[in-house]
Amino acid sequence: MDISDQNDLSPDDLFEHHRFVASKGQEPLRVDKFLMNFIENATRNKIQQAAKQGHIWVNGAIVKQNYKVKAGDEVKVLFEHPPYEFLLTPENIPLDIVYEDDTLLVVNKPAGMVVHPGHGNYSGTLINALVYHFENLPNNSSNRPGLVHRIDKDTSGLLVIAKTEAAMTHLAQQFFEKSSEREYVALVWGNVEEDEGTIEGNIGRHPKNRLQMTVYPDGEDGKEAITHYKVLERLGYVTLVSCKLETGRTHQIRVHMKYIGHTLFNDERYGGDKILKGTTFTKYKQFVENAFKELPRQALHAKTLGFEHPVTGEFMRFNSELPEDMVNCIEKWRSYAKHHES
């Protein structure tokens, strides 16, 4: 279909896949470049194809790829089919179930598995697995079956899944009221000076790079975010820390640790995949490259999860072991630190 055919269609005839409003500070920018900053896993070629086919609308009208987005513009990407994330296909993917009863289950998610379908990830997700293994899971407020909370694709660790409407409501309320317990283990760049501390700072979308979150310390933007951290082990140019979440914002630990100058090790999105601390020696550079290969993702694991059981009222706490890739990477740094101390 070309643009002339699309002119007969109104936005009401199409399905909205993406919608963005350009911020006040938006300098004029080609719409294809603008969308590249906003849509995860999108390629310039795909966006340009969408423009050629008349799928990009600004302020209610179809635009070409060279349209310059200005402050206040409403940019939509519309197609004739609904977003794929609403077409949930059951997939026989094995689950690492730590606990299960009639009301809920706790799963240990491997790194690399996306929690729910979204742009560019329509299969192989935790939800595809859940709808295969369990029937009639209740939907959360975003119409996602069973999901009470989520963790990032490249973060490993524990998640609780609701099997009944009552459990969904009860568990979601605990997360909202901050009465659930969530502890993560992270390997971060640099020597964290304080043995423990609390990071406070609202978290919201980054104004320029919409795939990143950022801290708004004045509290005028974003949502309240509080992270308590404790040093577990100092390993020279990196530190192993425990982080307890009081709130659960997107990328919270990744953003808060970067904010205090300790970006997560190998966190590509936030710059942790560069050598941020250490020497300029070639041997050291090679060592870090090898450590990146050992752990090809951000060094973050959701280790402990605690909540009140929706039916029995008992407080339940689950622990998971650090996955092999993190264990091996930490061991590398441990050996390096010992060798260089001696």
Side-chain angles (χ1 to χ4, degrees):
M1 179 179 285
D2 62 23
I3 289 182
S4 59
D5 296 327
Q6 277 278 29
N7 285 335
D8 297 332
L9 293 171
S10 80
D12 295 337
D13 301 318
L14 302 166
F15 292 93
E16 185 179 300
H17 284 237
H18 301 285
R19 176 181 172 276
F20 309 105
V21 176
S23 63
K24 290 177 192 168
Q26 179 66 54
E27 299 288 327
L29 182 67
R30 280 175 60 117
V31 71
D32 53 355
K33 287 187 176 178
F34 175 83
L35 287 171
M36 280 289 290
N37 292 335
F38 280 74
I39 302 175
E40 203 165 355
N41 302 320
T43 64
R44 187 90 177 269
N45 185 43
K46 272 188 185 171
I47 290 171
Q48 290 177 343
Q49 283 301 315
K52 279 179 187 161
Q53 291 163 1
H55 295 306
I56 298 177
W57 298 61
V58 177
N59 304 329
I62 294 171
V63 297
K64 293 183 177 175
Q65 64 202 42
N66 60 357
Y67 173 86
K68 295 278 180 70
V69 176
K70 304 174 297 298
D73 276 353
E74 181 186 64
V75 182
K76 289 184 178 182
V77 182
L78 306 171
F79 291 102
E80 289 166 274
H81 59 84
Y84 292 119
E85 55 260 44
F86 297 122
L87 310 173
L88 288 175
T89 310
E91 292 177 47
N92 187 6
I93 302 165
L95 290 170
D96 180 3
I97 297 174
V98 176
Y99 172 84
E100 182 183 358
D101 61 25
D102 293 340
T103 309
L104 58 87
L105 66 144
V106 175
V107 296
N108 192 16
K109 184 190 84 68
M113 178 186 258
V114 176
V115 170
H116 57 74
H119 184 81
N121 294 296
Y122 304 119
S123 65
T125 76
L126 178 64
I127 284 190
N128 293 110
L130 288 171
V131 295
Y132 177 89
H133 292 287
F134 302 96
E135 288 181 3
N136 305 319
L137 289 173
N139 280 346
N140 67 9
S141 57
S142 304
N143 289 322
R144 288 175 174 140
L147 220 57
V148 178
H149 61 127
R150 57 180 290 270
I151 56 179
D152 298 329
K153 172 189 172 186
D154 288 325
T155 299
S156 51
L158 297 176
L159 286 159
V160 61
I161 308 297
K163 290 168 80 173
T164 67
E165 293 283 354
M168 176 67 78
T169 304
H170 196 289
L171 290 164
Q173 190 67 18
Q174 290 182 58
F175 279 79
F176 177 73
E177 291 174 350
K178 307 171 187 171
S179 60
S180 60
E181 186 182 301
R182 282 168 291 170
E183 182 191 3
Y184 290 69
V185 172
L187 186 68
V188 301
W189 279 107
N191 181 23
V192 179
E193 286 183 21
E194 302 291 330
D195 285 342
E196 53 187 84
T198 296
I199 310 163
E200 295 186 58
N202 282 21
I203 289 177
R205 289 262 166 218
H206 194 289
K208 294 231 164 61
N209 182 348
R210 304 296 289 184
L211 301 181
Q212 283 189 5
M213 308 302 281
T214 193
V215 171
Y216 290 94
D218 58 10
E220 286 184 15
D221 285 290
K223 293 180 178 174
E224 179 194 32
I226 301 167
T227 307
H228 306 284
Y229 70 85
K230 190 174 185 178
V231 170
L232 299 175
E233 193 173 354
R234 300 178 193 280
L235 299 165
Y237 299 125
V238 295
T239 307
L240 193 64
V241 292
S242 152
C243 293
K244 286 193 174 175
L245 292 183
E246 196 168 309
T247 54
R249 306 299 170 211
T250 302
H251 299 175
Q252 180 169 320
I253 292 169
R254 299 163 70 183
V255 175
H256 266 173
M257 292 311 293
K258 179 175 182 171
Y259 177 61
I260 64 164
H262 297 289
T263 305
L264 263 64
F265 185 76
N266 210 8
D267 188 347
E268 183 184 359
R269 183 163 298 186
Y270 291 96
D273 58 338
K274 313 280 189 298
I275 296 176
L276 298 181
K277 299 287 177 188
T279 70
T280 54
F281 300 136
T282 311
K283 264 179 105 170
Y284 173 72
K285 186 171 180 250
Q286 189 57 58
F287 163 78
V288 175
E289 292 296 334
N290 288 340
F292 284 155
K293 281 180 191 156
E294 196 70 67
L295 181 71
R297 61 174 179 108
Q298 71 256 11
L300 187 61
H301 176 70
K303 189 176 191 316
T304 306
L305 181 62
F307 52 84
E308 184 183 288
H309 193 282
V311 175
T312 67
E314 177 195 356
F315 192 84
M316 307 180 81
R317 185 180 285 108
F318 299 93
N319 268 294
S320 60
E321 296 299 317
L322 288 183
E324 192 179 4
D325 58 358
M326 266 185 86
V327 170
N328 292 345
C329 182
I330 292 162
E331 199 46 61
K332 261 188 177 313
W333 277 106
R334 205 172 270 141
S335 302
Y336 184 88
K338 272 186 190 161
H339 176 70
H340 284 267
E341 274 172 18
S342 58

